[in-house]
Amino acid sequence: MHVEHAPAGAEHILTPEAVAFVVELHHRFEGRRQELLDHRRERATALRYGASLGFLPETAAVRRQEWTVAPVPSDLRHRRVEITGPVDAKMMINALNSGANVFMADLEDATSPTWTNVVTGQANLIDAQRGTLALDTGEKEYRLDDERATLVVRPRGWHLPEKHFTVDGDAVSASLFDAGLYLFHGGRVAIEQGSGPYFYLPKLESHLEARLWNDVFVFAQHRLGIPYGTVRATVLIETIWAAHEMDEILFELRDHASGLNAGRWDYIFSVIKAFRHDPAFVLPDRAQVGMTVPFMRAYTDLLVQTCHRRRAYAIGGMAAFIPNRRNPRVTAEALEKVAADKRREAQQGCEGTWVAHPDLVDVARREFDQVMGDAPDQLDRTIEYAIEAQDLTDVAIDGGTITEQGLRTNISVGIRYVAAWLGGQGAAAIDDLMEDAATAEISRSQIWQWLRHAVTTDRGRTVTEEWVRELIEDECSRIEDPHLTSARKIFEEVALGDEFPEFLTLPAYELID
C-alpha cells in the first residue's frame, strides 16, 4: 500500500484508521467495480453492433410491483433550490450561506482532482458539518451563518481512479476514496449535527452499480457504527443507460434513496457517446438541445413519474448562468430564461432544482413557490401519459442546425475548460456560464461526432479535420493560459482522435499532481 502525504492542514484526514478503512473498502468491493466497468464496455459494444436499448425484461417485476423508498429525512424535506460547487473553502461558505436549501459539495465534475483539492476538500467537508469552516484571505473573512444549506456530497464516479492511493500497485477507486473518507470522518459528525451522511451518486449506468453503492453503504454503516438507513443518496440520472433503469436504481437503494436528479449536461453527452457511430443521432449545436426537445422532455417526465410513484424526490437540472454585473442587459435576458426553465420544472412536478450561482437562488425559488406554495413536495402529482423506451431516443429537433459559431464555441469552451482543470480549477466561469467537466464533454464529443459523419453547417460547409484544426489555431490565439499547450493537446486527442476516450478527464488526470 502507498498513500501520498496529506497536504498541510489536512493531516487529520489520512489517519491510519481512515486509511485502513479505505483499504478495507478496496479489498471488499474493487473486484465488483471492475466487473461492472467491464459490463459497461460490453453493453456499449453491443449497442454499436445492433443491440437494442430498452427497458430490461429481466426486471419487469420490479417496475410492475408497488413499493416505495424510505421516508425523507427532515432536513431533506425541503429541496426547492439546490446550489452546487467545488469543495474549496470560499466556494463552500458562499454556497452554504446562499439561502439555498441544499448545497451539493462536488468532488466530481466541479473539482479538479489534484491531491491537494481532494484531501483538503475532505477537511472542508468536516468543518462545514461542524459549522466551523472559515477563511481569512487577508482582504476578507468568510464565516458560516447559523442557518445554512443542508450538505450533500458528490463523490467521483465509478470509472475514476485515485492514483495517489494504491493497494498492491493498483489505484483505489476514487468513488470509494471520496465516499469512504467522508463516511469515516463525517458520518457521525453529520448525525450529531442533526443531519446525516448524504450523497449524490454520479454517472451510474445500471441498477447493478446502484446495488454496489447500496452494499457499500450497508457495510460502512455496520463497520462505523452508524445506524442503518442514515446514509441517503440521490442518484443523478445522467446516462442513457440509467434512464432506462430508474425504477430499478431506486429499488436497489430503496432503504437509502432520497431521489433522482436530471443531470442534463452529462445526459446529453451520454446520448452522443452511446450513439456516436449512428448518423441518425447527430445533434445540432449544444445551445439548441434544450429541455423541451423530445428526448429530453421524455427523460425528465419519466424521472418525475418514476420518483413520485416511489415517493422519492425529483430534482431538476442545472441553471449554469452566471450574472454579468458589467452587462445588465445580458443578465436580464439570461435571468428571464432561467426563470422560464425553473417554472417549467416546477410545473412538470419537480421538488427542486439546481443553480450554479448564489444570485440565482431567489430566481429559482420564486418559480417553485408560485407552483408549490408552502408544500415541501409534489409527490401526489402524476404524469399520466406512458413514456416508452423509444421516446427516450427521439432526438429529432425541429429546425436544429450545426453552425460555425457552434463549432467555435465547442472548441473555445472545451480548451479553456481543460486548461482551467489542469490548473486545479474544476468549475470555470466562461462566457457567463459555469462550465464543468460535463459541458466540456459535450463540446469535444460533438466535434468527434460531426467529424465522423462529415456533417455540413447551415452555410453548407462540411466539417473536416483540417477545418477544425484551423479553427482550433484561431481560437487558441485568443486564449491566454499557462496550461494552454497541454489543454490543446488533450482536447485534440479526445475530439479528433480515431478512438473515442470514454472520458476526457482520464487522459487529463495523468497531467495533474
mmCIF file of all heavy atoms in Angstrom, residues 146-192:
data_model
loop_
_atom_site.group_PDB
_atom_site.id
_atom_site.type_symbol
_atom_site.label_atom_id
_atom_site.label_comp_id
_atom_site.label_asym_id
_atom_site.label_seq_id
_atom_site.Cartn_x
_atom_site.Cartn_y
_atom_site.Cartn_z
ATOM 1 N N ASP A 146 -25.435 30.932 10.900
ATOM 2 C CA ASP A 146 -26.083 29.938 11.765
ATOM 3 C C ASP A 146 -27.050 29.071 10.966
ATOM 4 O O ASP A 146 -27.165 27.859 11.197
ATOM 5 C CB ASP A 146 -26.820 30.636 12.907
ATOM 6 C CG ASP A 146 -25.859 31.282 13.894
ATOM 7 O OD1 ASP A 146 -24.694 30.827 13.976
ATOM 8 O OD2 ASP A 146 -26.264 32.253 14.568
ATOM 9 N N GLU A 147 -27.778 29.708 10.043
ATOM 10 C CA GLU A 147 -28.682 28.951 9.174
ATOM 11 C C GLU A 147 -28.010 28.768 7.822
ATOM 12 O O GLU A 147 -27.604 29.737 7.186
ATOM 13 C CB GLU A 147 -30.013 29.698 9.011
ATOM 14 C CG GLU A 147 -30.842 29.750 10.278
ATOM 15 C CD GLU A 147 -32.236 30.298 10.023
ATOM 16 O OE1 GLU A 147 -32.637 30.366 8.835
ATOM 17 O OE2 GLU A 147 -32.904 30.658 10.995
ATOM 18 N N ARG A 148 -27.906 27.524 7.414
ATOM 19 C CA ARG A 148 -27.209 27.244 6.162
ATOM 20 C C ARG A 148 -27.811 26.023 5.483
ATOM 21 O O ARG A 148 -28.598 25.284 6.073
ATOM 22 C CB ARG A 148 -25.716 27.043 6.422
ATOM 23 C CG ARG A 148 -25.384 26.033 7.505
ATOM 24 C CD ARG A 148 -23.904 26.063 7.840
ATOM 25 N NE ARG A 148 -23.560 25.099 8.884
ATOM 26 C CZ ARG A 148 -23.548 25.372 10.174
ATOM 27 N NH1 ARG A 148 -23.873 26.583 10.595
ATOM 28 N NH2 ARG A 148 -23.228 24.433 11.044
ATOM 29 N N ALA A 149 -27.422 25.840 4.266
ATOM 30 C CA ALA A 149 -27.965 24.752 3.454
ATOM 31 C C ALA A 149 -27.550 23.386 4.006
ATOM 32 O O ALA A 149 -26.496 23.243 4.625
ATOM 33 C CB ALA A 149 -27.478 24.894 2.013
ATOM 34 N N THR A 150 -28.393 22.397 3.755
ATOM 35 C CA THR A 150 -28.041 21.017 4.084
ATOM 36 C C THR A 150 -26.930 20.548 3.153
ATOM 37 O O THR A 150 -26.990 20.742 1.942
ATOM 38 C CB THR A 150 -29.273 20.102 3.934
ATOM 39 O OG1 THR A 150 -30.276 20.515 4.864
ATOM 40 C CG2 THR A 150 -28.914 18.644 4.194
ATOM 41 N N LEU A 151 -25.932 19.907 3.725
ATOM 42 C CA LEU A 151 -24.772 19.471 2.957
ATOM 43 C C LEU A 151 -24.993 18.084 2.355
ATOM 44 O O LEU A 151 -25.343 17.136 3.062
ATOM 45 C CB LEU A 151 -23.533 19.452 3.853
ATOM 46 C CG LEU A 151 -22.212 19.032 3.201
ATOM 47 C CD1 LEU A 151 -21.793 20.028 2.134
ATOM 48 C CD2 LEU A 151 -21.124 18.892 4.267
ATOM 49 N N VAL A 152 -24.773 17.992 1.046
ATOM 50 C CA VAL A 152 -24.806 16.709 0.332
ATOM 51 C C VAL A 152 -23.514 16.616 -0.481
ATOM 52 O O VAL A 152 -23.108 17.594 -1.112
ATOM 53 C CB VAL A 152 -26.035 16.607 -0.598
ATOM 54 C CG1 VAL A 152 -26.056 15.266 -1.324
ATOM 55 C CG2 VAL A 152 -27.325 16.794 0.203
ATOM 56 N N VAL A 153 -22.882 15.457 -0.463
ATOM 57 C CA VAL A 153 -21.560 15.290 -1.070
ATOM 58 C C VAL A 153 -21.653 14.430 -2.319
ATOM 59 O O VAL A 153 -22.275 13.363 -2.296
ATOM 60 C CB VAL A 153 -20.583 14.645 -0.063
ATOM 61 C CG1 VAL A 153 -19.219 14.383 -0.706
ATOM 62 C CG2 VAL A 153 -20.436 15.530 1.175
ATOM 63 N N ARG A 154 -21.031 14.907 -3.408
ATOM 64 C CA ARG A 154 -20.944 14.086 -4.616
ATOM 65 C C ARG A 154 -19.525 13.532 -4.758
ATOM 66 O O ARG A 154 -18.599 14.279 -5.064
ATOM 67 C CB ARG A 154 -21.330 14.879 -5.864
ATOM 68 C CG ARG A 154 -21.126 14.046 -7.143
ATOM 69 C CD ARG A 154 -21.910 14.544 -8.338
ATOM 70 N NE ARG A 154 -21.386 15.759 -8.924
ATOM 71 C CZ ARG A 154 -21.777 16.243 -10.115
ATOM 72 N NH1 ARG A 154 -22.699 15.590 -10.829
ATOM 73 N NH2 ARG A 154 -21.280 17.359 -10.586
ATOM 74 N N PRO A 155 -19.342 12.230 -4.549
ATOM 75 C CA PRO A 155 -18.041 11.620 -4.802
ATOM 76 C C PRO A 155 -17.821 11.451 -6.298
ATOM 77 O O PRO A 155 -18.748 11.604 -7.102
ATOM 78 C CB PRO A 155 -18.145 10.267 -4.098
ATOM 79 C CG PRO A 155 -19.605 9.922 -4.185
ATOM 80 C CD PRO A 155 -20.338 11.245 -4.097
ATOM 81 N N ARG A 156 -16.604 11.108 -6.671
ATOM 82 C CA ARG A 156 -16.321 10.841 -8.078
ATOM 83 C C ARG A 156 -16.960 9.524 -8.523
ATOM 84 O O ARG A 156 -17.329 8.688 -7.698
ATOM 85 C CB ARG A 156 -14.799 10.813 -8.290
ATOM 86 C CG ARG A 156 -14.165 12.196 -8.284
ATOM 87 C CD ARG A 156 -12.645 12.130 -8.228
ATOM 88 N NE ARG A 156 -12.174 11.799 -6.891
ATOM 89 C CZ ARG A 156 -10.895 11.596 -6.578
ATOM 90 N NH1 ARG A 156 -9.963 11.676 -7.523
ATOM 91 N NH2 ARG A 156 -10.540 11.322 -5.327
ATOM 92 N N GLY A 157 -17.108 9.373 -9.852
ATOM 93 C CA GLY A 157 -17.819 8.228 -10.407
ATOM 94 C C GLY A 157 -17.020 6.938 -10.368
ATOM 95 O O GLY A 157 -15.798 6.933 -10.176
ATOM 96 N N TRP A 158 -17.726 5.837 -10.599
ATOM 97 C CA TRP A 158 -17.118 4.512 -10.521
ATOM 98 C C TRP A 158 -15.954 4.324 -11.497
ATOM 99 O O TRP A 158 -15.078 3.481 -11.275
ATOM 100 C CB TRP A 158 -18.159 3.439 -10.809
ATOM 101 C CG TRP A 158 -19.094 3.100 -9.699
ATOM 102 C CD1 TRP A 158 -20.459 3.043 -9.754
ATOM 103 C CD2 TRP A 158 -18.751 2.716 -8.354
ATOM 104 N NE1 TRP A 158 -20.984 2.672 -8.535
ATOM 105 C CE2 TRP A 158 -19.948 2.467 -7.655
ATOM 106 C CE3 TRP A 158 -17.543 2.584 -7.671
ATOM 107 C CZ2 TRP A 158 -19.985 2.070 -6.318
ATOM 108 C CZ3 TRP A 158 -17.560 2.197 -6.331
ATOM 109 C CH2 TRP A 158 -18.779 1.955 -5.672
ATOM 110 N N HIS A 159 -15.913 5.079 -12.566
ATOM 111 C CA HIS A 159 -14.879 4.873 -13.590
ATOM 112 C C HIS A 159 -13.545 5.509 -13.241
ATOM 113 O O HIS A 159 -12.546 5.249 -13.919
ATOM 114 C CB HIS A 159 -15.354 5.460 -14.929
ATOM 115 C CG HIS A 159 -15.612 6.935 -14.889
ATOM 116 N ND1 HIS A 159 -16.688 7.478 -14.211
ATOM 117 C CD2 HIS A 159 -14.936 7.990 -15.417
ATOM 118 C CE1 HIS A 159 -16.661 8.796 -14.341
ATOM 119 N NE2 HIS A 159 -15.607 9.128 -15.055
ATOM 120 N N LEU A 160 -13.500 6.331 -12.195
ATOM 121 C CA LEU A 160 -12.298 7.126 -11.926
ATOM 122 C C LEU A 160 -11.411 6.499 -10.852
ATOM 123 O O LEU A 160 -11.909 6.007 -9.839
ATOM 124 C CB LEU A 160 -12.699 8.536 -11.495
ATOM 125 C CG LEU A 160 -13.373 9.376 -12.594
ATOM 126 C CD1 LEU A 160 -13.960 10.642 -11.993
ATOM 127 C CD2 LEU A 160 -12.364 9.724 -13.683
ATOM 128 N N PRO A 161 -10.088 6.556 -11.048
ATOM 129 C CA PRO A 161 -9.140 6.073 -10.035
ATOM 130 C C PRO A 161 -8.632 7.216 -9.168
ATOM 131 O O PRO A 161 -8.732 8.386 -9.534
ATOM 132 C CB PRO A 161 -7.999 5.514 -10.894
ATOM 133 C CG PRO A 161 -7.962 6.459 -12.070
ATOM 134 C CD PRO A 161 -9.410 6.876 -12.325
ATOM 135 N N GLU A 162 -8.083 6.876 -8.027
ATOM 136 C CA GLU A 162 -7.337 7.828 -7.202
ATOM 137 C C GLU A 162 -5.879 7.359 -7.182
ATOM 138 O O GLU A 162 -5.501 6.469 -6.418
ATOM 139 C CB GLU A 162 -7.909 7.905 -5.785
ATOM 140 C CG GLU A 162 -7.147 8.832 -4.841
ATOM 141 C CD GLU A 162 -6.783 10.155 -5.498
ATOM 142 O OE1 GLU A 162 -7.679 10.981 -5.740
ATOM 143 O OE2 GLU A 162 -5.581 10.354 -5.772
ATOM 144 N N LYS A 163 -5.079 7.964 -8.052
ATOM 145 C CA LYS A 163 -3.726 7.457 -8.294
ATOM 146 C C LYS A 163 -2.775 7.695 -7.127
ATOM 147 O O LYS A 163 -1.702 7.083 -7.063
ATOM 148 C CB LYS A 163 -3.159 8.095 -9.559
ATOM 149 C CG LYS A 163 -2.933 9.608 -9.467
ATOM 150 C CD LYS A 163 -2.413 10.164 -10.780
ATOM 151 C CE LYS A 163 -2.192 11.676 -10.715
ATOM 152 N NZ LYS A 163 -1.706 12.215 -12.015
ATOM 153 N N HIS A 164 -3.130 8.572 -6.195
ATOM 154 C CA HIS A 164 -2.243 8.863 -5.075
ATOM 155 C C HIS A 164 -2.392 7.864 -3.934
ATOM 156 O O HIS A 164 -1.683 7.971 -2.925
ATOM 157 C CB HIS A 164 -2.524 10.276 -4.545
ATOM 158 C CG HIS A 164 -2.354 11.344 -5.576
ATOM 159 N ND1 HIS A 164 -3.410 11.769 -6.371
ATOM 160 C CD2 HIS A 164 -1.269 12.049 -5.974
ATOM 161 C CE1 HIS A 164 -2.968 12.702 -7.197
ATOM 162 N NE2 HIS A 164 -1.683 12.895 -6.987
ATOM 163 N N PHE A 165 -3.310 6.902 -4.089
ATOM 164 C CA PHE A 165 -3.571 5.902 -3.044
ATOM 165 C C PHE A 165 -3.630 4.545 -3.747
ATOM 166 O O PHE A 165 -4.582 4.262 -4.466
ATOM 167 C CB PHE A 165 -4.906 6.228 -2.367
ATOM 168 C CG PHE A 165 -5.204 5.459 -1.098
ATOM 169 C CD1 PHE A 165 -5.725 6.124 0.003
ATOM 170 C CD2 PHE A 165 -5.005 4.092 -1.001
ATOM 171 C CE1 PHE A 165 -6.035 5.448 1.176
ATOM 172 C CE2 PHE A 165 -5.301 3.397 0.159
ATOM 173 C CZ PHE A 165 -5.813 4.085 1.256
ATOM 174 N N THR A 166 -2.604 3.733 -3.562
ATOM 175 C CA THR A 166 -2.556 2.442 -4.244
ATOM 176 C C THR A 166 -2.509 1.302 -3.239
ATOM 177 O O THR A 166 -1.960 1.433 -2.136
ATOM 178 C CB THR A 166 -1.330 2.348 -5.174
ATOM 179 O OG1 THR A 166 -0.132 2.483 -4.398
ATOM 180 C CG2 THR A 166 -1.373 3.424 -6.250
ATOM 181 N N VAL A 167 -3.085 0.188 -3.652
ATOM 182 C CA VAL A 167 -3.068 -1.038 -2.861
ATOM 183 C C VAL A 167 -2.575 -2.154 -3.772
ATOM 184 O O VAL A 167 -3.168 -2.389 -4.837
ATOM 185 C CB VAL A 167 -4.471 -1.377 -2.304
ATOM 186 C CG1 VAL A 167 -4.418 -2.700 -1.524
ATOM 187 C CG2 VAL A 167 -4.986 -0.248 -1.427
ATOM 188 N N ASP A 168 -1.492 -2.806 -3.386
ATOM 189 C CA ASP A 168 -0.886 -3.853 -4.218
ATOM 190 C C ASP A 168 -0.599 -3.341 -5.628
ATOM 191 O O ASP A 168 -0.752 -4.072 -6.619
ATOM 192 C CB ASP A 168 -1.784 -5.093 -4.282
ATOM 193 C CG ASP A 168 -2.024 -5.697 -2.904
ATOM 194 O OD1 ASP A 168 -1.107 -5.632 -2.070
ATOM 195 O OD2 ASP A 168 -3.133 -6.210 -2.673
ATOM 196 N N GLY A 169 -0.210 -2.077 -5.726
ATOM 197 C CA GLY A 169 0.137 -1.486 -7.009
ATOM 198 C C GLY A 169 -1.025 -0.951 -7.816
ATOM 199 O O GLY A 169 -0.810 -0.338 -8.875
ATOM 200 N N ASP A 170 -2.257 -1.155 -7.351
ATOM 201 C CA ASP A 170 -3.444 -0.691 -8.079
ATOM 202 C C ASP A 170 -4.032 0.548 -7.400
ATOM 203 O O ASP A 170 -4.178 0.584 -6.170
ATOM 204 C CB ASP A 170 -4.512 -1.787 -8.122
ATOM 205 C CG ASP A 170 -4.064 -3.002 -8.915
ATOM 206 O OD1 ASP A 170 -3.335 -2.812 -9.904
ATOM 207 O OD2 ASP A 170 -4.424 -4.126 -8.531
ATOM 208 N N ALA A 171 -4.382 1.533 -8.218
ATOM 209 C CA ALA A 171 -5.043 2.718 -7.677
ATOM 210 C C ALA A 171 -6.406 2.339 -7.114
ATOM 211 O O ALA A 171 -7.136 1.541 -7.717
ATOM 212 C CB ALA A 171 -5.202 3.772 -8.768
ATOM 213 N N VAL A 172 -6.758 2.905 -5.977
ATOM 214 C CA VAL A 172 -8.080 2.623 -5.421
ATOM 215 C C VAL A 172 -9.130 3.389 -6.219
ATOM 216 O O VAL A 172 -8.838 4.346 -6.935
ATOM 217 C CB VAL A 172 -8.175 3.013 -3.928
ATOM 218 C CG1 VAL A 172 -7.152 2.264 -3.109
ATOM 219 C CG2 VAL A 172 -8.025 4.512 -3.738
ATOM 220 N N SER A 173 -10.361 2.960 -6.092
ATOM 221 C CA SER A 173 -11.484 3.654 -6.710
ATOM 222 C C SER A 173 -11.630 5.045 -6.107
ATOM 223 O O SER A 173 -11.639 5.210 -4.880
ATOM 224 C CB SER A 173 -12.767 2.852 -6.480
ATOM 225 O OG SER A 173 -13.909 3.665 -6.580
ATOM 226 N N ALA A 174 -11.749 6.050 -6.974
ATOM 227 C CA ALA A 174 -11.988 7.410 -6.477
ATOM 228 C C ALA A 174 -13.327 7.486 -5.753
ATOM 229 O O ALA A 174 -13.482 8.269 -4.805
ATOM 230 C CB ALA A 174 -11.941 8.407 -7.636
ATOM 231 N N SER A 175 -14.300 6.696 -6.177
ATOM 232 C CA SER A 175 -15.599 6.669 -5.501
ATOM 233 C C SER A 175 -15.448 6.190 -4.063
ATOM 234 O O SER A 175 -15.983 6.803 -3.121
ATOM 235 C CB SER A 175 -16.564 5.735 -6.238
ATOM 236 O OG SER A 175 -16.801 6.142 -7.549
ATOM 237 N N LEU A 176 -14.732 5.077 -3.884
ATOM 238 C CA LEU A 176 -14.561 4.521 -2.541
ATOM 239 C C LEU A 176 -13.683 5.425 -1.685
ATOM 240 O O LEU A 176 -13.899 5.534 -0.472
ATOM 241 C CB LEU A 176 -13.970 3.121 -2.630
ATOM 242 C CG LEU A 176 -14.848 2.076 -3.324
ATOM 243 C CD1 LEU A 176 -14.130 0.732 -3.386
ATOM 244 C CD2 LEU A 176 -16.198 1.920 -2.620
ATOM 245 N N PHE A 177 -12.707 6.066 -2.307
ATOM 246 C CA PHE A 177 -11.853 7.001 -1.577
ATOM 247 C C PHE A 177 -12.676 8.186 -1.074
ATOM 248 O O PHE A 177 -12.652 8.511 0.122
ATOM 249 C CB PHE A 177 -10.718 7.476 -2.485
ATOM 250 C CG PHE A 177 -9.814 8.498 -1.858
ATOM 251 C CD1 PHE A 177 -8.751 8.107 -1.056
ATOM 252 C CD2 PHE A 177 -10.021 9.860 -2.065
ATOM 253 C CE1 PHE A 177 -7.901 9.044 -0.469
ATOM 254 C CE2 PHE A 177 -9.186 10.799 -1.488
ATOM 255 C CZ PHE A 177 -8.121 10.397 -0.682
ATOM 256 N N ASP A 178 -13.430 8.825 -1.968
ATOM 257 C CA ASP A 178 -14.198 10.022 -1.593
ATOM 258 C C ASP A 178 -15.292 9.693 -0.580
ATOM 259 O O ASP A 178 -15.413 10.350 0.465
ATOM 260 C CB ASP A 178 -14.832 10.650 -2.840
ATOM 261 C CG ASP A 178 -13.811 11.246 -3.788
ATOM 262 O OD1 ASP A 178 -12.638 11.422 -3.403
ATOM 263 O OD2 ASP A 178 -14.194 11.528 -4.949
ATOM 264 N N ALA A 179 -16.103 8.708 -0.913
ATOM 265 C CA ALA A 179 -17.221 8.367 -0.027
ATOM 266 C C ALA A 179 -16.716 7.753 1.272
ATOM 267 O O ALA A 179 -17.262 8.021 2.352
ATOM 268 C CB ALA A 179 -18.181 7.412 -0.730
ATOM 269 N N GLY A 180 -15.669 6.923 1.168
ATOM 270 C CA GLY A 180 -15.153 6.260 2.356
ATOM 271 C C GLY A 180 -14.607 7.239 3.374
ATOM 272 O O GLY A 180 -14.905 7.148 4.578
ATOM 273 N N LEU A 181 -13.798 8.196 2.929
ATOM 274 C CA LEU A 181 -13.249 9.177 3.866
ATOM 275 C C LEU A 181 -14.338 10.044 4.475
ATOM 276 O O LEU A 181 -14.305 10.361 5.677
ATOM 277 C CB LEU A 181 -12.214 10.052 3.161
ATOM 278 C CG LEU A 181 -10.842 9.420 2.902
ATOM 279 C CD1 LEU A 181 -9.932 10.408 2.193
ATOM 280 C CD2 LEU A 181 -10.192 8.947 4.200
ATOM 281 N N TYR A 182 -15.331 10.430 3.643
ATOM 282 C CA TYR A 182 -16.395 11.263 4.196
ATOM 283 C C TYR A 182 -17.231 10.485 5.211
ATOM 284 O O TYR A 182 -17.592 11.006 6.276
ATOM 285 C CB TYR A 182 -17.279 11.824 3.093
ATOM 286 C CG TYR A 182 -18.380 12.709 3.644
ATOM 287 C CD1 TYR A 182 -18.071 13.901 4.294
ATOM 288 C CD2 TYR A 182 -19.717 12.332 3.549
ATOM 289 C CE1 TYR A 182 -19.062 14.703 4.831
ATOM 290 C CE2 TYR A 182 -20.717 13.131 4.082
ATOM 291 C CZ TYR A 182 -20.386 14.310 4.719
ATOM 292 O OH TYR A 182 -21.374 15.097 5.271
ATOM 293 N N LEU A 183 -17.525 9.236 4.908
ATOM 294 C CA LEU A 183 -18.269 8.423 5.866
ATOM 295 C C LEU A 183 -17.478 8.229 7.153
ATOM 296 O O LEU A 183 -18.024 8.315 8.257
ATOM 297 C CB LEU A 183 -18.610 7.066 5.249
ATOM 298 C CG LEU A 183 -19.776 7.051 4.262
ATOM 299 C CD1 LEU A 183 -19.771 5.767 3.449
ATOM 300 C CD2 LEU A 183 -21.103 7.196 5.004
ATOM 301 N N PHE A 184 -16.177 7.969 7.012
ATOM 302 C CA PHE A 184 -15.358 7.700 8.195
ATOM 303 C C PHE A 184 -15.295 8.920 9.105
ATOM 304 O O PHE A 184 -15.481 8.815 10.318
ATOM 305 C CB PHE A 184 -13.943 7.290 7.771
ATOM 306 C CG PHE A 184 -13.074 6.880 8.925
ATOM 307 C CD1 PHE A 184 -13.073 5.573 9.370
ATOM 308 C CD2 PHE A 184 -12.274 7.812 9.589
ATOM 309 C CE1 PHE A 184 -12.279 5.190 10.456
ATOM 310 C CE2 PHE A 184 -11.486 7.446 10.666
ATOM 311 C CZ PHE A 184 -11.487 6.123 11.101
ATOM 312 N N HIS A 185 -15.016 10.076 8.530
ATOM 313 C CA HIS A 185 -14.856 11.278 9.348
ATOM 314 C C HIS A 185 -16.158 12.033 9.576
ATOM 315 O O HIS A 185 -16.350 12.626 10.641
ATOM 316 C CB HIS A 185 -13.860 12.233 8.681
ATOM 317 C CG HIS A 185 -12.455 11.751 8.687
ATOM 318 N ND1 HIS A 185 -11.704 11.643 9.831
ATOM 319 C CD2 HIS A 185 -11.646 11.343 7.671
ATOM 320 C CE1 HIS A 185 -10.495 11.195 9.531
ATOM 321 N NE2 HIS A 185 -10.429 11.007 8.231
ATOM 322 N N GLY A 186 -17.026 12.017 8.564
ATOM 323 C CA GLY A 186 -18.194 12.883 8.623
ATOM 324 C C GLY A 186 -19.496 12.219 8.984
ATOM 325 O O GLY A 186 -20.468 12.906 9.292
ATOM 326 N N GLY A 187 -19.540 10.886 8.934
ATOM 327 C CA GLY A 187 -20.808 10.213 9.185
ATOM 328 C C GLY A 187 -21.392 10.524 10.540
ATOM 329 O O GLY A 187 -22.532 11.003 10.664
ATOM 330 N N ARG A 188 -20.615 10.269 11.587
ATOM 331 C CA ARG A 188 -21.111 10.514 12.938
ATOM 332 C C ARG A 188 -21.243 12.015 13.213
ATOM 333 O O ARG A 188 -22.146 12.446 13.932
ATOM 334 C CB ARG A 188 -20.190 9.853 13.959
ATOM 335 C CG ARG A 188 -20.416 8.343 14.076
ATOM 336 C CD ARG A 188 -19.605 7.739 15.209
ATOM 337 N NE ARG A 188 -18.180 7.783 14.930
ATOM 338 C CZ ARG A 188 -17.529 6.840 14.272
ATOM 339 N NH1 ARG A 188 -18.182 5.775 13.824
ATOM 340 N NH2 ARG A 188 -16.226 6.928 14.070
ATOM 341 N N VAL A 189 -20.330 12.822 12.643
ATOM 342 C CA VAL A 189 -20.424 14.277 12.827
ATOM 343 C C VAL A 189 -21.745 14.798 12.270
ATOM 344 O O VAL A 189 -22.443 15.593 12.911
ATOM 345 C CB VAL A 189 -19.238 14.990 12.144
ATOM 346 C CG1 VAL A 189 -19.446 16.506 12.153
ATOM 347 C CG2 VAL A 189 -17.937 14.631 12.828
ATOM 348 N N ALA A 190 -22.111 14.331 11.074
ATOM 349 C CA ALA A 190 -23.369 14.772 10.466
ATOM 350 C C ALA A 190 -24.557 14.390 11.340
ATOM 351 O O ALA A 190 -25.487 15.189 11.540
ATOM 352 C CB ALA A 190 -23.518 14.161 9.080
ATOM 353 N N ILE A 191 -24.541 13.181 11.876
ATOM 354 C CA ILE A 191 -25.644 12.718 12.729
ATOM 355 C C ILE A 191 -25.705 13.556 14.005
ATOM 356 O O ILE A 191 -26.796 13.952 14.458
ATOM 357 C CB ILE A 191 -25.479 11.219 13.044
ATOM 358 C CG1 ILE A 191 -25.633 10.401 11.765
ATOM 359 C CG2 ILE A 191 -26.491 10.776 14.091
ATOM 360 C CD1 ILE A 191 -25.207 8.949 11.907
ATOM 361 N N GLU A 192 -24.548 13.844 14.581
ATOM 362 C CA GLU A 192 -24.512 14.680 15.797
ATOM 363 C C GLU A 192 -25.070 16.072 15.543
ATOM 364 O O GLU A 192 -25.608 16.702 16.452
ATOM 365 C CB GLU A 192 -23.068 14.783 16.295
ATOM 366 C CG GLU A 192 -22.527 13.486 16.879
ATOM 367 C CD GLU A 192 -21.016 13.529 17.064
ATOM 368 O OE1 GLU A 192 -20.413 14.591 16.756
ATOM 369 O OE2 GLU A 192 -20.440 12.507 17.477
#
